[in-house]
Amino acid sequence: MRIWNLGLNDPLMLTLCADVRLSALDYTNDQVWDLSLNAGEPAALTVATSFGLRARAMRLFPRFLHGDEIRADPAEFYRPPRVTRLFPNHLEVRFSPFTGLDVTAEYRMYTSQVIAGRLTFHNPSVLAEQFGFEWCAYLNPLGDGNGMSVVPIGVHTVLQGKTEGLSPVCFITGGLQPGKGAYASLSEEIRLSPGGMRQLIWALAALPAVAESYELARQTSARSWEAEQARIELTQRSESIEITTNSPLRCIALLPC
């Protein structure tokens, strides 16, 4: 499939939604997310939604800690984010928050109520690297709701909130611990040997009950990421038309209605 190279200065509207060709849609509860390469407060690489106007804002974003430095704003990254893969329900972004760390952040809508992502950390240098990672969540709720907080559910620690009849739960693999920043987060100290790699998978589900959201998020994080990726690419290749132009974006992918 085409490898893109789209950055902060390119005209982008990065929307993630469930793909009707790959999963059943819930048209009365279809939650759509938007990815921003540098937006919000604080400025960050952010995926956000309003849960179909049932929240003022719901945001997920990463923070990186290296020595005395804390980096969340992509404008401060050693290499800023570049969109490299682009599908209706899947996006891939690559960046380097500082030297000695390359990050690939993938985002995927599995169904109308669950979004997931995979974070791949790679050390390209000849020296060992150690850094802190935080996965942050912010919810500005509507109705009888509350913002995101770190809570234990069973043997796991998750991010959980409530807004207008929904109880979003974010689960992340790897046994992360509560973060210490201003935003609710799960964090870990990561050590990478020269050429080393580490992956984390997260999933956020938003159903009416906390237990239902947790179970859906946990099950989604256990799905085969590579198998789903192959299915997305095969579907896209067989059911889309690509038109090449002279614009900076170089081509447009048209999907059948």
Side-chain angles (χ1 to χ4, degrees):
M1 297 300 294
R2 174 179 290 274
I3 302 299
W4 298 80
N5 187 29
L6 307 174
L8 296 171
N9 297 322
D10 289 312
L12 294 175
M13 181 175 290
L14 302 172
T15 299
L16 282 162
C17 58
D19 191 334
V20 69
R21 301 171 300 171
L22 301 167
S23 65
L25 262 64
D26 184 347
Y27 291 100
T28 63
N29 187 18
D30 190 24
Q31 299 165 14
V32 177
W33 292 71
D34 295 308
L35 180 68
S36 299
L37 300 185
N38 187 4
E41 179 57 44
L45 174 64
T46 301
V47 62
T49 186
S50 68
F51 294 123
L53 300 180
R54 280 169 289 180
R56 292 183 179 88
M58 172 76 220
R59 302 176 64 218
L60 297 169
F61 58 94
R63 293 204 321 160
F64 300 90
L65 299 81
H66 189 248
D68 296 331
E69 294 184 90
I70 300 176
R71 293 190 181 177
D73 186 348
E76 299 175 353
F77 286 178
Y78 175 66
R79 289 194 183 93
R82 309 291 297 182
V83 178
T84 50
R85 288 184 182 269
L86 186 61
F87 302 97
N89 67 330
H90 179 96
L91 293 169
E92 179 186 276
V93 182
R94 298 188 181 192
F95 58 94
S96 297
F98 38 75
T99 59
L101 177 62
D102 292 340
V103 181
T104 301
E106 299 168 90
Y107 304 84
R108 180 178 299 165
M109 285 295 297
Y110 277 100
T111 69
S112 292
Q113 288 95 40
V114 62
I115 185 174
R118 182 171 69 171
L119 293 154
T120 302
F121 309 109
H122 174 243
N123 176 10
S125 73
V126 297
L127 300 174
E129 291 288 345
Q130 179 176 336
F131 63 96
F133 168 73
E134 291 183 349
W135 186 243
C136 306
Y138 168 78
L139 172 62
N140 188 350
L142 287 173
D144 183 20
N146 52 267
M148 299 296 283
S149 59
V150 179
V151 298
I153 298 182
V155 298
H156 299 117
T157 302
V158 302
L159 297 162
Q160 187 258 318
K162 182 180 179 182
T163 181
E164 197 69 19
L166 295 176
S167 299
V169 173
C170 186
F171 175 89
I172 188 166
T173 61
L176 276 65
Q177 299 300 311
K180 299 179 180 179
Y183 295 90
S185 67
L186 297 173
S187 69
E188 185 171 38
E189 286 289 323
I190 296 178
R191 297 173 178 84
L192 295 177
S193 59
M197 186 183 72
R198 172 80 185 276
Q199 287 186 331
L200 298 173
I201 294 178
W202 60 268
L204 183 144
L207 297 173
V210 172
E212 293 175 338
S213 296
Y214 164 71
E215 191 59 28
L216 179 57
R218 187 187 63 81
Q219 291 177 1
T220 300
S221 69
R223 294 174 67 163
S224 172
W225 192 271
E226 297 298 340
E228 298 284 349
Q229 181 66 30
R231 186 180 176 209
I232 291 170
E233 292 184 1
L234 287 172
T235 301
Q236 184 77 359
R237 186 181 296 116
S238 63
E239 298 184 16
S240 64
I241 301 171
E242 190 174 278
I243 301 174
T244 301
T245 75
N246 292 323
S247 74
L249 298 183
R250 292 184 299 280
C251 79
I252 300 173
L254 300 180
L255 303 179
C257 298

